[in-house]
Amino acid sequence: MYDRILVPTDGSEYAEAAAERAFDLAETTDAAVFVVCVVEEGPLGSVRLPGDGASAAEAFAERAETFVGRLEKRARERGLEVETEIREGVPVRELLAYADEVGAAVAVMGSRGRGGVSRMMLGSVTDGVTREGDIDVLVVGEKGATA
């Protein structure tokens, strides 16, 4: 079935729930997991934050290490083979490129369930991966439900 599972994270509760489902699937299929976080490029990334003066992109990159490290630890505690990656760029593009690089057959992703105008204005990384990728996508929604 699946021998390589992509586990994207942004540190949200939805990504955390998706990771747990991905780890369950990896245990069942004896698959390796590939945890990845993408630090998004863009005009807001250069904005300096109050306090230490770090840019928004720098601050998120530091948090990305925490997000990825936390999932790596949980995967290892479950006895799973895990690799991690932090990338910079356009999330959908970077996730699909990484999935291709590691040969992932499925991505297990969280979704906030945005709809209507919010989705049209903000877009959805999960939707983008589903539409643009040549990879199966297991979507874990609110309360861990799957679609």
Side-chain angles (χ1 to χ4, degrees):
M1 191 170 172
Y2 298 121
D3 62 347
R4 294 170 174 261
I5 301 171
L6 184 71
V7 184
T9 185
D10 60 3
S12 70
E13 64 186 284
Y14 305 97
E16 296 281 324
E20 288 304 317
R21 287 290 178 104
F23 298 162
D24 291 344
L25 180 61
E27 285 179 335
T28 301
T29 62
D30 196 32
V33 295
F34 296 83
V35 177
V36 60
C37 184
V38 178
V39 178
E40 189 168 3
E41 293 177 339
L44 295 178
S46 62
V47 173
R48 295 284 166 192
L49 301 174
D52 65 4
S55 72
E58 290 167 336
F60 187 76
E62 284 182 27
R63 290 186 12 228
E65 290 181 32
T66 301
F67 304 151
V68 167
R70 183 171 53 231
L71 294 183
E72 177 183 27
K73 180 181 178 195
R74 290 201 333 241
R76 290 199 189 285
E77 287 171 348
R78 291 175 74 163
L80 298 172
E81 179 184 337
V82 60
E83 291 186 27
T84 64
E85 179 87 5
I86 297 173
R87 298 178 77 116
E88 188 173 316
V90 178
V92 171
R93 187 177 316 145
E94 291 301 321
L95 291 174
L96 291 174
Y98 185 59
D100 188 52
E101 289 168 24
V102 301
V106 63
V108 182
M109 303 181 69
S111 177
R112 289 176 174 82
R114 286 190 178 118
V117 175
S118 176
R119 183 173 182 175
M120 288 186 327
M121 297 296 287
L122 299 173
S124 165
V125 174
T126 301
D127 185 58
V129 170
T130 302
R131 290 177 186 270
E132 296 177 31
D134 187 22
I135 184 172
D136 290 345
V137 180
L138 173 63
V139 180
V140 179
E142 197 171 349
K143 299 180 183 163
T146 56

